[in-house]
Amino acid sequence: MNRLSLGFRERCYELIRQIPQGRVMTYGDVALCIGKPGAARAVGTAMRLNPDAPTTPCHRVVASSGVIGNYSGKRGVAGKIALLRKEGVPISDGRVREFGRVRWRPT
DNA sequence: GCCATGGCTAGTA
DNA sequence: GCCATGGCTAGTA
């Protein structure tokens, strides 16, 4: 499947499937990486419509501030936090700690 | 086509 | 203020 033929949502999903366990990306970086700078909010929409969370790991996408952000999968934000913690992402007070180290960008 | 609705955010105050 | 989605309506054919 040629990635240029994929729609916005599929491009998002394909990208976030590359995020390693224990790491996160921001909505804005996802937008940037698929060539749609400024579409952070639309990335949120795509994540909301993710048909198979958490297999397609939309829980690994957080706000640019390090704040966890929303989650429409099982158990909502609590579920998102639980998944991330299980994967080794340090979280307290609703934000990712050591954000600089945990934040991931494709190489 | 228009409009409302969001898992948002850079940049002002 | 931005952008993809989805629902709905004029207004054409």
Side-chain angles (χ1 to χ4, degrees):
Chain A
M1 196 43 142
N2 126 25
R3 69 187 51 211
L4 292 115
S5 75
L6 297 174
F8 181 84
R9 287 174 54 194
E10 284 303 326
R11 306 237 298 298
C12 291
Y13 301 149
E14 183 186 65
L15 173 60
I16 68 171
R17 280 183 225 120
Q18 318 300 310
I19 308 174
Q21 273 202 27
R23 309 290 295 279
V24 300
M25 276 188 89
T26 70
Y27 295 99
D29 283 347
V30 170
L32 203 59
C33 289
I34 64 172
K36 309 237 57 151
R41 193 152 195 180
V43 169
T45 299
M47 298 302 99
R48 176 166 56 86
L49 300 174
N50 176 17
D52 63 352
T55 303
T56 295
C58 58
H59 59 283
R60 295 180 190 149
V61 184
V62 303
S64 64
S65 56
V67 165
I68 289 302
N70 223 320
Y71 186 65
S72 46
K74 198 181 175 198
R75 301 210 304 127
V77 180
K80 185 171 184 176
I81 291 174
L83 286 165
L84 289 171
R85 286 224 170 97
K86 190 167 59 179
E87 297 178 354
V89 174
I91 297 169
S92 68
D93 217 27
R95 345 186 36 181
V96 173
R97 300 296 153 179
E98 306 177 72
F99 193 45
R101 172 179 73 72
V102 173
R103 190 176 187 171
W104 181 84
R105 290 188 185 70
T107 52

